[in-house]
Amino acid sequence: MIFFYVRHGDPVYHPDSLTPKGEREAEAIGKRLAMYGVDEIYTSTSNRAILTAKPTCELLHKTHTELEFCHESLAYKEFSGDSNGVRRWVCELEEYKNLFVSPEMRKMDKEWYEHPALASTGIKAGWKRISDAADEFFASLGYEHIREENRYRVVEGTDENKRVALFAHEGFGLIFLSALLDIPYPMISTHFHIRTTGLTAIEFKHESGFSVPKVFTHSNDAHLYKEGLPLGRNYYKGNIIF
C-alpha cells in the first residue's frame, strides 16, 4: 500500500475554510494525486480538509470518508499550553522545545508522555486517543500495528497495490505520523514541518506477512512548483528558497 498524508491548503481558521490561494493549492494536489491514482480518500471532519480533498475526489470520481479523530481542534486541546495568556502547541513553547530535544527526554523513548513536566497537560490522554484511533484506522486497511515490534502485521488478502489518501492538518499530523511510524512525538514535532498541501508518501511493503512503513517523501510540494504557485513564507530565509 502507498499511504498519502496531505495537509489542507492555505487556511482561513475562522470560519474554517480555505483562502483563494488555498483553493489553488487544493487543485494542484488534486491533479497530482489524480495522476498517481487513489483508491480510497479520507479527510478530517474539518471543512478546510474536506475542501482540500474536493478536487481530488472530483477528478477521480470518488467520495471521501470523514474521520472525526483527525480533527485538529481535538488534538489542539490535548497538545497545547498557555504562554503569556496565549494558547499554543506545546512543541512551540520554549520550555517544551528545550525539553523535547534534551537527552533526558530522548532516553524515555516510547514512554516520552510519562515525563513529569507533561503531567499538567492533556498529552498522555491525547496520545492514547490518537494512537489507538490510528491503529484502528490502519487495521481497517489491513495492517495491524504491533507497537512492541515497530511494525505491522499484514492481514491476509490485503491488496499491496492499494493507494490511500488522508487529508488533515499539521498539528494533528505530527502526532499521527509519530504514532504511525513509531517515532516519539518530541522528535517528530521538533524536527519536521508539514507545509500547506505538503504530500507525505509512505510505503507499506509486504514482507513475509509483515510491513515496516517507509517514508518516500515528506511534505513534498512539487505540485505547487508545477502550477507556479507561491511557496509560502515558511520557505524564505533571506535570499534562500528552501
Side-chain angles (χ1 to χ4, degrees):
M1 178 179 77
I2 301 295
F3 178 74
F4 300 111
Y5 187 86
V6 183
R7 184 187 175 191
H8 57 73
D10 190 50
V12 177
Y13 289 109
H14 304 290
D16 180 14
S17 189
L18 297 178
T19 65
K21 176 188 172 188
E23 292 173 356
R24 301 292 83 75
E25 291 177 339
E27 292 168 359
I29 189 64
K31 291 177 183 179
R32 183 176 185 179
L33 288 173
M35 180 180 66
Y36 295 159
V38 179
D39 300 299
E40 298 176 18
I41 299 172
Y42 297 86
T43 74
S44 116
T45 51
S46 168
N47 192 45
R48 59 189 181 274
I50 295 169
L51 288 174
T52 304
K54 185 178 178 181
T56 304
C57 292
E58 291 175 347
L59 289 168
L60 289 170
H61 306 288
K62 302 276 185 184
T63 58
H64 71 277
T65 300
E66 296 176 18
L67 302 175
E68 177 66 24
F69 86 92
C70 299
H71 199 294
E72 188 147 271
S73 65
L74 302 175
Y76 188 66
K77 290 177 182 177
E78 298 155 340
F79 281 76
S80 62
D82 288 319
S83 175
N84 298 319
V86 178
R87 198 152 189 86
R88 300 174 63 189
W89 290 100
V90 291
C91 60
E92 296 176 345
L93 300 176
E94 289 302 321
E95 59 189 290
Y96 294 111
K97 278 185 182 179
N98 295 331
L99 174 65
F100 281 4
V101 297
S102 68
E104 173 189 9
M105 179 61 84
R106 293 294 171 87
K107 287 178 183 177
M108 296 189 73
D109 195 35
K110 288 188 177 181
E111 302 299 314
W112 62 269
Y113 51 82
E114 297 285 4
H115 195 286
L118 301 176
S120 62
T121 72
I123 283 180
K124 183 176 180 178
W127 170 254
K128 177 171 175 51
R129 178 185 68 82
I130 293 173
S131 59
D132 285 353
D135 285 354
E136 184 178 345
F137 172 61
F138 281 104
S140 75
L141 299 176
Y143 299 88
E144 298 174 343
H145 201 173
I146 310 172
R147 288 201 170 271
E148 62 273 17
E149 297 180 12
N150 304 307
R151 62 179 180 169
Y152 292 73
R153 180 181 293 109
V154 180
V155 176
E156 186 175 353
T158 297
D159 182 5
E160 184 175 13
N161 297 313
K162 181 165 56 179
R163 297 187 176 195
V164 176
L166 170 58
F167 293 78
H169 312 268
E170 179 180 35
F172 162 81
L174 294 174
I175 307 164
F176 178 77
L177 291 176
S178 168
L180 189 170
L181 298 169
D182 293 301
I183 300 174
Y185 173 71
M187 295 181 67
I188 287 274
S189 64
T190 53
H191 293 287
F192 290 84
H193 166 67
I194 308 175
R195 64 144 301 127
T196 53
T197 66
L199 176 75
T200 297
I202 302 172
E203 181 191 40
F204 282 73
K205 186 177 181 180
H206 296 192
E207 298 179 304
S208 302
F210 294 93
S211 182
V212 178
K214 181 172 291 187
V215 178
F216 278 2
T217 188
H218 174 73
S219 192
N220 186 286
D221 62 359
H223 51 285
L224 301 183
Y225 281 95
K226 186 176 186 300
E227 297 299 318
L229 293 171
L231 301 181
R233 61 182 175 83
N234 291 321
Y235 276 68
Y236 294 89
K237 298 291 183 183
N239 293 322
I240 301 175
I241 302 177
F242 294 92

